[in-house]
Amino acid sequence: IGTENRRTQYYINYRSEKGASHAAASLYEMQRCPIDSAMYYDTQLWAEYGGLYHVPSLEPSKAYYAFKQFGELYEQKNECQSSGGGLIYTCAASGKKKLLCIANINDGSEEIKLAVSGSGGHDVRIRTLNKNIDYEETYRGALPETVALDGYSFVTLEFEEKNEKHCQHR
């Protein structure tokens, strides 16, 4: 394969679910490691090598949503835990919301068993990014026992206080 074809495939992968899952996992991992600063080169709308937008449409790429997800984590201000290694990476934060993010950088699907302490009394909203979904809500309800991640995907679990309505009779 020629240099030009490799470069084209690189740019395609960069903007795809593969690039997005790797970007998300990298951001989680940087929370765990002693890193002073990191830069993303580059986010110019017209730059073909900048992976956040499709050129020339300027629509957000899948990689854009990894940074959106991490921005949601960062807003919480309190990192709870991050872990990585292998092909599954996680990062959690608390603040106004409690978030758990999981990225799968494997090309195969993974079933993740959830054990979340302090999640009782909470419903969960799950947003997913994969080949077919661009970081959209895919589940809302009680915390499931497991969450399925397609190859090259990530999810955000957002824990919400249950709204228990009490009826008062007069």
Side-chain angles (χ1 to χ4, degrees):
I1 219 171
T3 302
E4 195 62 34
N5 288 336
R6 277 198 305 271
R7 185 176 310 129
T8 299
Q9 189 58 51
Y10 173 80
Y11 292 147
I12 290 169
N13 285 343
Y14 206 54
R15 291 177 172 85
S16 73
E17 67 280 0
K18 186 174 187 176
S21 64
H22 280 83
S26 296
L27 290 165
Y28 306 167
E29 193 67 358
M30 283 188 258
Q31 288 300 292
R32 193 178 64 76
C33 298
I35 293 177
D36 293 329
S37 63
M39 287 49 131
Y40 182 84
Y41 189 82
D42 135 358
T43 62
Q44 295 178 74
L45 295 176
W46 56 87
E48 189 164 316
Y49 52 82
L52 300 186
Y53 302 96
H54 292 287
V55 177
S57 73
L58 305 183
E59 292 292 320
S61 72
K62 290 190 181 287
Y64 167 89
Y65 295 102
F67 288 87
K68 179 178 174 62
Q69 180 197 52
F70 192 76
E72 294 168 355
L73 280 167
Y74 182 78
E75 279 181 344
Q76 303 316 305
K77 303 292 184 204
N78 300 306
E79 178 196 6
C80 299
Q81 178 181 357
S82 60
S83 64
L87 302 171
I88 303 294
Y89 292 80
T90 64
C91 195
S94 66
K96 292 181 182 177
K97 302 175 186 177
K98 294 177 183 173
L99 303 175
L100 170 62
C101 300
I102 308 169
N104 177 11
I105 63 169
N106 183 10
D107 62 357
S109 297
E110 296 286 340
E111 188 87 9
I112 307 299
K113 184 175 172 92
L114 298 173
V116 181
S117 63
S119 63
H122 289 80
D123 282 334
V124 68
R125 179 171 75 127
I126 300 177
R127 289 185 304 280
T128 301
L129 181 129
N130 61 27
K131 183 176 182 175
N132 301 312
I133 301 170
D134 287 344
Y135 201 50
E136 298 167 15
E137 186 175 306
T138 54
Y139 177 83
R140 186 182 288 242
L143 179 67
E145 290 183 19
T146 61
V147 64
L149 278 85
D150 292 337
Y152 302 123
S153 67
F154 61 79
V155 296
T156 297
L157 287 80
E158 180 181 333
F159 296 88
E160 303 173 326
E161 295 281 341
K162 287 185 180 178
N163 283 333
E164 295 187 21
K165 296 181 181 177
H166 300 282
C167 296
Q168 292 182 344
H169 296 285
R170 294 183 188 187

